[in-house]
Amino acid sequence: MNEKVKDIKNKFESDLKNVKNTKELNELRVEYLGKKGYIQKLNPLIKDLSNEEKKEFGKSLNDIKNFISKELEELKMKLDKKELEEKLVSEKIDTSLPATKFSKGSIHPLTKVRREIEEIFISMGYDVVEGPEVEFDLYNFEKLNLPKNHPARDMQDTFYVNDEVLLRTHTSPVQVRTLEKSEGDIRIICPGKTYRRDSDDPTHSHQFTQVEGLVVSKDVSLSHLKGTLEEFAKKMFGDSVKVRFRPNYFPFTEPSIEVDISCFKCKGEGCSFCSKTGFIEILGAGMVHPNVLKMSGYDPEVYRGFAFGMGIERVAMIRHEINDIRDFYTNDIRFLNQFNRKGGLEDEA
Ligand code: FA5
């Protein structure tokens, strides 16, 4: 019986010498130690042996199994090491090759300008707050002194979700939301998206962005509003910019004004871009109407406020000499790349 074990051992030793890789090694393992392998095939023979022979045969079976396992394991370690070394050589990375260039994105010019506006007002002591883009009619119109069927609603037509809910036409509803939540002095700005049923043209879009400003205190006046906006314009456009205030009408401010900045194209001379006026409108503003203060819990006999709402696109267009508002939304990489250059709106990220 032990002869058979010896034969298997001899055959295994000669087979092992021919193994060249881990695949062949695994095949050899199955051939000898697998369920149908040489060793398993010896098991049924045990039953015909005497007790004494069974003991001896069992021991030699264990010995040969241990021997084969150990030999296979040792060879496996050697082959693994060899194969890893070969792989490292064949997959060597040439670090001296120039890397493949990939283009880096940049912050959108509107985001960049919005952040610049925020920083200017933060430096003047304003807090930045947010409000919902899908707004109640109550906040977008009614509590801004524009009751249902008020003719001035025609100035800002919008997209309605239902009779009471709409896409906000301006950031002014945030004035109401802030007044309702506050007591005493307020000094906030609110940037965000706004929507109107305006026809798209070089200076108008059906979706645009505004920054609302609201200051409430016992002693603010129109002079504070003018001073604040002049200071903002100088910081944003440089000391040489001309700012023009025109009387206007908004139902939620009294008096109301509109503010224009000298045209970047003709420097105030008058050209086709500014409709020969030399100026481009950037914002509406005024002293908060007493009704608006009253409806949100402020006593207009004690508190006064000023407010403004500016179009970020218009500011960005003047600041960066952009001729068409639609360029901001069409994602033309050639347009956006201009702001990625040194001297442009360089991405600080
Ligand atoms: C308003 O939206 C008022 N809520 C502003 C305001 C706030 C007045 C607080 C008083 C107190 P107006 O409709 O004029 O006003 O819009 C303000 C600015 O948003 C405009 O000066 C312009 O810069 C920008 N704007 C308005 N409509 C569009 C449009 N369709 N596309 C791009 N920008 C626009």
Short mmCIF file of all heavy atoms in Angstrom, two decimals, residues 155-156 169-172 175 196 198 203-210 212-213 248 250 252-253 257-258 281-286 307-314 325 329, ligand 1:
data_model
loop_
_atom_site.label_atom_id
_atom_site.label_comp_id
_atom_site.label_asym_id
_atom_site.label_seq_id
_atom_site.Cartn_x
_atom_site.Cartn_y
_atom_site.Cartn_z
N MET A 155 -46.80 95.50 -14.41
CA MET A 155 -45.37 95.79 -14.62
C MET A 155 -44.53 94.53 -14.48
O MET A 155 -43.42 94.44 -14.98
CB MET A 155 -44.88 96.83 -13.58
CG MET A 155 -45.45 98.21 -13.78
SD MET A 155 -45.34 99.18 -12.24
CE MET A 155 -43.61 99.45 -12.07
N GLN A 156 -45.04 93.55 -13.75
CA GLN A 156 -44.26 92.33 -13.50
C GLN A 156 -45.14 91.10 -13.66
O GLN A 156 -45.60 90.53 -12.68
CB GLN A 156 -43.68 92.36 -12.08
CG GLN A 156 -42.74 93.51 -11.83
CD GLN A 156 -42.09 93.44 -10.46
OE1 GLN A 156 -42.26 92.49 -9.71
NE2 GLN A 156 -41.34 94.47 -10.13
N THR A 169 -41.23 87.52 -8.98
CA THR A 169 -40.86 88.42 -10.07
C THR A 169 -39.69 89.30 -9.67
O THR A 169 -39.10 89.97 -10.52
CB THR A 169 -42.04 89.33 -10.42
OG1 THR A 169 -42.45 90.02 -9.24
CG2 THR A 169 -43.20 88.54 -10.97
N HIS A 170 -39.42 89.35 -8.37
CA HIS A 170 -38.32 90.18 -7.87
C HIS A 170 -37.91 89.63 -6.49
O HIS A 170 -38.58 88.73 -5.95
CB HIS A 170 -38.72 91.66 -7.78
CG HIS A 170 -40.04 91.94 -7.10
ND1 HIS A 170 -40.53 93.20 -6.91
CD2 HIS A 170 -40.96 91.10 -6.54
CE1 HIS A 170 -41.69 93.14 -6.29
NE2 HIS A 170 -41.97 91.88 -6.05
N THR A 171 -36.82 90.14 -5.95
CA THR A 171 -36.40 89.66 -4.63
C THR A 171 -37.08 90.45 -3.51
O THR A 171 -36.86 90.16 -2.33
CB THR A 171 -34.86 89.74 -4.50
OG1 THR A 171 -34.40 90.96 -5.09
CG2 THR A 171 -34.18 88.57 -5.17
N SER A 172 -37.96 91.39 -3.87
CA SER A 172 -38.60 92.22 -2.84
C SER A 172 -39.45 91.45 -1.81
O SER A 172 -39.59 91.92 -0.68
CB SER A 172 -39.44 93.31 -3.50
OG SER A 172 -38.61 94.14 -4.28
N GLN A 175 -38.06 91.33 1.54
CA GLN A 175 -38.26 92.47 2.45
C GLN A 175 -39.35 92.13 3.46
O GLN A 175 -39.18 92.30 4.68
CB GLN A 175 -38.76 93.70 1.68
CG GLN A 175 -37.74 94.41 0.85
CD GLN A 175 -38.38 95.68 0.27
OE1 GLN A 175 -39.15 96.37 0.92
NE2 GLN A 175 -38.05 95.98 -0.98
N ARG A 196 -39.77 86.48 -14.91
CA ARG A 196 -40.83 87.34 -15.44
C ARG A 196 -41.23 86.90 -16.83
O ARG A 196 -40.40 86.33 -17.55
CB ARG A 196 -40.34 88.80 -15.53
CG ARG A 196 -40.37 89.46 -14.19
CD ARG A 196 -40.11 90.93 -14.29
NE ARG A 196 -39.57 91.37 -13.00
CZ ARG A 196 -39.16 92.58 -12.74
NH1 ARG A 196 -39.21 93.50 -13.66
NH2 ARG A 196 -38.70 92.88 -11.53
N ASP A 198 -41.07 88.33 -19.47
CA ASP A 198 -40.48 89.33 -20.36
C ASP A 198 -39.95 88.63 -21.61
O ASP A 198 -39.50 87.49 -21.53
CB ASP A 198 -39.29 90.03 -19.67
CG ASP A 198 -39.75 91.08 -18.67
OD1 ASP A 198 -40.97 91.34 -18.60
OD2 ASP A 198 -38.89 91.63 -17.95
N THR A 203 -30.93 92.89 -23.37
CA THR A 203 -30.85 93.35 -21.97
C THR A 203 -31.95 92.76 -21.07
O THR A 203 -32.02 93.09 -19.89
CB THR A 203 -30.93 94.89 -21.89
OG1 THR A 203 -32.07 95.33 -22.64
CG2 THR A 203 -29.67 95.54 -22.42
N HIS A 204 -32.80 91.89 -21.61
CA HIS A 204 -33.87 91.28 -20.80
C HIS A 204 -33.87 89.76 -20.93
O HIS A 204 -33.60 89.24 -22.01
CB HIS A 204 -35.26 91.78 -21.25
CG HIS A 204 -35.47 93.22 -20.93
ND1 HIS A 204 -35.07 94.22 -21.78
CD2 HIS A 204 -36.02 93.82 -19.85
CE1 HIS A 204 -35.38 95.39 -21.24
NE2 HIS A 204 -35.95 95.18 -20.07
N SER A 205 -34.22 89.12 -19.83
CA SER A 205 -34.35 87.67 -19.87
C SER A 205 -35.57 87.28 -19.04
O SER A 205 -35.96 88.01 -18.12
CB SER A 205 -33.09 87.03 -19.27
OG SER A 205 -33.31 85.67 -19.06
N HIS A 206 -36.19 86.13 -19.37
CA HIS A 206 -37.36 85.69 -18.59
C HIS A 206 -36.93 85.17 -17.22
O HIS A 206 -37.72 85.04 -16.32
CB HIS A 206 -38.11 84.60 -19.36
CG HIS A 206 -37.24 83.41 -19.63
ND1 HIS A 206 -36.33 83.37 -20.66
CD2 HIS A 206 -37.13 82.25 -18.98
CE1 HIS A 206 -35.70 82.22 -20.63
NE2 HIS A 206 -36.16 81.52 -19.63
N GLN A 207 -35.63 84.84 -17.09
CA GLN A 207 -35.09 84.45 -15.78
C GLN A 207 -33.81 85.24 -15.57
O GLN A 207 -32.95 85.25 -16.44
CB GLN A 207 -34.78 82.97 -15.76
CG GLN A 207 -34.28 82.50 -14.40
CD GLN A 207 -33.35 81.32 -14.51
OE1 GLN A 207 -33.78 80.25 -14.90
NE2 GLN A 207 -32.08 81.52 -14.19
N PHE A 208 -33.71 85.93 -14.47
CA PHE A 208 -32.52 86.73 -14.21
C PHE A 208 -32.27 86.74 -12.71
O PHE A 208 -32.99 86.07 -11.96
CB PHE A 208 -32.68 88.15 -14.79
CG PHE A 208 -33.90 88.89 -14.29
CD1 PHE A 208 -33.79 89.87 -13.32
CD2 PHE A 208 -35.16 88.60 -14.80
CE1 PHE A 208 -34.91 90.55 -12.86
CE2 PHE A 208 -36.29 89.28 -14.34
CZ PHE A 208 -36.16 90.26 -13.38
N THR A 209 -31.24 87.47 -12.28
CA THR A 209 -30.95 87.48 -10.84
C THR A 209 -30.93 88.90 -10.31
O THR A 209 -30.53 89.83 -11.01
CB THR A 209 -29.60 86.79 -10.54
OG1 THR A 209 -28.66 87.17 -11.54
CG2 THR A 209 -29.71 85.30 -10.51
N GLN A 210 -31.38 89.04 -9.10
CA GLN A 210 -31.40 90.35 -8.45
C GLN A 210 -30.72 90.28 -7.09
O GLN A 210 -30.57 89.20 -6.52
CB GLN A 210 -32.85 90.81 -8.21
CG GLN A 210 -33.59 91.26 -9.45
CD GLN A 210 -34.93 91.93 -9.12
OE1 GLN A 210 -35.51 91.69 -8.08
NE2 GLN A 210 -35.40 92.76 -10.02
N GLU A 212 -31.57 92.18 -3.54
CA GLU A 212 -32.44 93.10 -2.81
C GLU A 212 -31.65 93.69 -1.66
O GLU A 212 -30.78 93.03 -1.08
CB GLU A 212 -33.64 92.30 -2.25
CG GLU A 212 -34.76 93.14 -1.72
CD GLU A 212 -35.61 93.72 -2.87
OE1 GLU A 212 -35.41 93.31 -4.01
OE2 GLU A 212 -36.44 94.59 -2.57
N GLY A 213 -31.94 94.92 -1.33
CA GLY A 213 -31.32 95.52 -0.13
C GLY A 213 -32.42 96.13 0.71
O GLY A 213 -33.39 96.69 0.17
N ASN A 248 -39.14 107.61 -10.12
CA ASN A 248 -39.84 106.47 -10.73
C ASN A 248 -41.05 106.12 -9.87
O ASN A 248 -41.32 106.79 -8.86
CB ASN A 248 -38.87 105.29 -10.83
CG ASN A 248 -39.38 104.19 -11.74
OD1 ASN A 248 -40.07 104.47 -12.71
ND2 ASN A 248 -39.08 102.96 -11.42
N PHE A 250 -42.76 102.78 -7.82
CA PHE A 250 -42.96 101.40 -7.37
C PHE A 250 -44.04 101.47 -6.29
O PHE A 250 -43.99 102.38 -5.44
CB PHE A 250 -41.68 100.81 -6.75
CG PHE A 250 -40.57 100.61 -7.74
CD1 PHE A 250 -39.46 101.45 -7.74
CD2 PHE A 250 -40.61 99.57 -8.66
CE1 PHE A 250 -38.45 101.28 -8.65
CE2 PHE A 250 -39.58 99.40 -9.57
CZ PHE A 250 -38.50 100.25 -9.57
N PHE A 252 -44.37 99.81 -3.73
CA PHE A 252 -43.89 99.48 -2.37
C PHE A 252 -42.87 100.48 -1.84
O PHE A 252 -42.32 100.29 -0.76
CB PHE A 252 -43.32 98.06 -2.33
CG PHE A 252 -42.65 97.64 -3.61
CD1 PHE A 252 -41.29 97.84 -3.81
CD2 PHE A 252 -43.38 97.04 -4.63
CE1 PHE A 252 -40.68 97.46 -4.98
CE2 PHE A 252 -42.78 96.65 -5.83
CZ PHE A 252 -41.44 96.86 -6.01
N THR A 253 -42.58 101.55 -2.60
CA THR A 253 -41.68 102.60 -2.08
C THR A 253 -42.28 103.97 -2.37
O THR A 253 -42.97 104.17 -3.37
CB THR A 253 -40.27 102.51 -2.73
OG1 THR A 253 -40.42 102.32 -4.13
CG2 THR A 253 -39.45 101.41 -2.13
N ILE A 257 -37.16 105.67 -6.87
CA ILE A 257 -36.17 106.15 -7.85
C ILE A 257 -35.67 104.98 -8.70
O ILE A 257 -35.80 103.82 -8.30
CB ILE A 257 -34.94 106.82 -7.17
CG1 ILE A 257 -34.31 105.87 -6.14
CG2 ILE A 257 -35.32 108.15 -6.55
CD1 ILE A 257 -32.97 106.36 -5.60
N GLU A 258 -35.10 105.33 -9.82
CA GLU A 258 -34.40 104.33 -10.62
C GLU A 258 -32.96 104.81 -10.77
O GLU A 258 -32.73 106.02 -10.85
CB GLU A 258 -35.08 104.16 -11.98
CG GLU A 258 -35.17 102.70 -12.36
CD GLU A 258 -36.34 102.42 -13.28
OE1 GLU A 258 -36.71 103.29 -14.07
OE2 GLU A 258 -36.87 101.31 -13.22
N GLU A 281 -29.78 101.30 -16.99
CA GLU A 281 -30.47 101.15 -15.69
C GLU A 281 -29.97 99.89 -14.99
O GLU A 281 -29.87 98.83 -15.61
CB GLU A 281 -31.96 101.05 -15.96
CG GLU A 281 -32.78 100.75 -14.73
CD GLU A 281 -34.10 100.06 -15.08
OE1 GLU A 281 -34.72 100.43 -16.10
OE2 GLU A 281 -34.47 99.14 -14.35
N ILE A 282 -29.63 100.00 -13.72
CA ILE A 282 -29.24 98.78 -13.00
C ILE A 282 -30.15 98.44 -11.83
O ILE A 282 -30.18 97.31 -11.38
CB ILE A 282 -27.77 98.81 -12.49
CG1 ILE A 282 -27.53 99.99 -11.56
CG2 ILE A 282 -26.78 98.74 -13.62
CD1 ILE A 282 -26.33 99.77 -10.66
N LEU A 283 -30.87 99.44 -11.31
CA LEU A 283 -31.69 99.08 -10.16
C LEU A 283 -32.84 100.05 -9.92
O LEU A 283 -32.85 101.18 -10.40
CB LEU A 283 -30.82 98.98 -8.89
CG LEU A 283 -30.08 100.20 -8.36
CD1 LEU A 283 -30.96 100.97 -7.37
CD2 LEU A 283 -28.82 99.77 -7.67
N GLY A 284 -33.81 99.53 -9.16
CA GLY A 284 -34.91 100.35 -8.68
C GLY A 284 -34.76 100.46 -7.17
O GLY A 284 -34.25 99.55 -6.52
N ALA A 285 -35.25 101.59 -6.60
CA ALA A 285 -35.06 101.78 -5.16
C ALA A 285 -36.07 102.79 -4.63
O ALA A 285 -36.88 103.34 -5.39
CB ALA A 285 -33.63 102.26 -4.90
N GLY A 286 -36.02 103.04 -3.35
CA GLY A 286 -36.90 104.05 -2.76
C GLY A 286 -37.01 103.89 -1.26
O GLY A 286 -36.40 102.99 -0.66
N ALA A 307 -35.00 100.74 0.46
CA ALA A 307 -34.82 99.43 -0.18
C ALA A 307 -34.37 99.63 -1.62
O ALA A 307 -34.60 100.68 -2.21
CB ALA A 307 -36.13 98.65 -0.15
N PHE A 308 -33.70 98.62 -2.14
CA PHE A 308 -33.29 98.67 -3.55
C PHE A 308 -33.27 97.24 -4.10
O PHE A 308 -33.18 96.27 -3.34
CB PHE A 308 -31.91 99.33 -3.73
CG PHE A 308 -30.82 98.71 -2.91
CD1 PHE A 308 -30.10 97.62 -3.38
CD2 PHE A 308 -30.50 99.21 -1.65
CE1 PHE A 308 -29.09 97.05 -2.61
CE2 PHE A 308 -29.49 98.64 -0.88
CZ PHE A 308 -28.78 97.56 -1.35
N GLY A 309 -33.43 97.13 -5.42
CA GLY A 309 -33.35 95.82 -6.07
C GLY A 309 -32.58 95.98 -7.36
O GLY A 309 -33.02 96.70 -8.25
N MET A 310 -31.40 95.34 -7.43
CA MET A 310 -30.59 95.52 -8.65
C MET A 310 -30.47 94.22 -9.45
O MET A 310 -30.51 93.12 -8.88
CB MET A 310 -29.21 96.08 -8.30
CG MET A 310 -28.19 95.10 -7.80
SD MET A 310 -26.62 95.92 -7.55
CE MET A 310 -26.84 96.65 -5.94
N GLY A 311 -30.34 94.37 -10.76
CA GLY A 311 -30.16 93.20 -11.61
C GLY A 311 -28.68 92.84 -11.69
O GLY A 311 -27.86 93.66 -12.11
N ILE A 312 -28.36 91.61 -11.27
CA ILE A 312 -26.93 91.22 -11.26
C ILE A 312 -26.39 91.13 -12.69
O ILE A 312 -25.25 91.51 -12.96
CB ILE A 312 -26.74 89.87 -10.53
CG1 ILE A 312 -27.25 89.99 -9.08
CG2 ILE A 312 -25.27 89.46 -10.54
CD1 ILE A 312 -27.06 88.74 -8.26
N GLU A 313 -27.23 90.66 -13.62
CA GLU A 313 -26.78 90.57 -15.02
C GLU A 313 -26.36 91.94 -15.52
O GLU A 313 -25.32 92.09 -16.17
CB GLU A 313 -27.88 90.01 -15.92
CG GLU A 313 -28.09 88.52 -15.81
CD GLU A 313 -28.94 88.11 -14.63
OE1 GLU A 313 -29.25 88.98 -13.79
OE2 GLU A 313 -29.29 86.94 -14.52
N ARG A 314 -27.19 92.96 -15.23
CA ARG A 314 -26.88 94.31 -15.72
C ARG A 314 -25.55 94.79 -15.14
O ARG A 314 -24.74 95.39 -15.84
CB ARG A 314 -27.98 95.30 -15.32
CG ARG A 314 -29.35 94.96 -15.86
CD ARG A 314 -29.57 95.50 -17.27
NE ARG A 314 -30.84 95.03 -17.78
CZ ARG A 314 -31.99 95.63 -17.61
NH1 ARG A 314 -32.03 96.78 -16.95
NH2 ARG A 314 -33.10 95.12 -18.10
N ILE A 325 -27.24 89.79 -22.74
CA ILE A 325 -27.52 89.08 -21.48
C ILE A 325 -27.63 87.57 -21.70
O ILE A 325 -27.32 86.77 -20.82
CB ILE A 325 -28.83 89.64 -20.86
CG1 ILE A 325 -28.97 89.25 -19.39
CG2 ILE A 325 -30.07 89.21 -21.64
CD1 ILE A 325 -30.08 89.99 -18.66
N TYR A 329 -26.39 82.55 -20.22
CA TYR A 329 -27.14 81.31 -20.00
C TYR A 329 -26.92 80.24 -21.05
O TYR A 329 -27.44 79.14 -20.90
CB TYR A 329 -28.65 81.62 -19.95
CG TYR A 329 -29.00 82.86 -19.16
CD1 TYR A 329 -29.56 83.97 -19.77
CD2 TYR A 329 -28.75 82.91 -17.80
CE1 TYR A 329 -29.88 85.11 -19.05
CE2 TYR A 329 -29.06 84.04 -17.07
CZ TYR A 329 -29.62 85.14 -17.69
OH TYR A 329 -29.92 86.25 -16.98
C1 FA5 B 1 -37.96 95.74 -9.21
O1 FA5 B 1 -37.84 94.54 -9.48
C2 FA5 B 1 -38.12 96.21 -7.81
N1 FA5 B 1 -38.46 95.13 -6.96
C3 FA5 B 1 -36.87 96.91 -7.35
C4 FA5 B 1 -37.04 97.64 -6.08
C5 FA5 B 1 -36.64 97.00 -4.91
C6 FA5 B 1 -37.59 98.91 -6.07
C7 FA5 B 1 -36.80 97.68 -3.71
C8 FA5 B 1 -37.75 99.56 -4.87
C9 FA5 B 1 -37.36 98.97 -3.72
P1 FA5 B 1 -37.44 96.54 -11.63
O2 FA5 B 1 -38.56 95.84 -12.29
O3 FA5 B 1 -37.10 97.89 -12.17
O4 FA5 B 1 -37.75 96.72 -10.10
O5 FA5 B 1 -36.15 95.61 -11.67
C10 FA5 B 1 -34.98 95.94 -10.98
C11 FA5 B 1 -33.78 95.60 -11.83
O6 FA5 B 1 -33.83 94.24 -12.23
C12 FA5 B 1 -33.71 96.39 -13.14
O7 FA5 B 1 -33.13 97.63 -12.93
C13 FA5 B 1 -32.84 95.49 -13.98
O8 FA5 B 1 -31.48 95.65 -13.63
C14 FA5 B 1 -33.26 94.12 -13.53
N2 FA5 B 1 -34.27 93.53 -14.42
C15 FA5 B 1 -35.59 93.72 -14.46
N3 FA5 B 1 -36.19 92.99 -15.40
C16 FA5 B 1 -35.21 92.29 -16.00
C17 FA5 B 1 -35.16 91.32 -17.06
N4 FA5 B 1 -36.24 90.88 -17.67
N5 FA5 B 1 -33.96 90.80 -17.41
C18 FA5 B 1 -32.84 91.20 -16.77
N6 FA5 B 1 -32.81 92.08 -15.76
C19 FA5 B 1 -33.97 92.63 -15.38
#
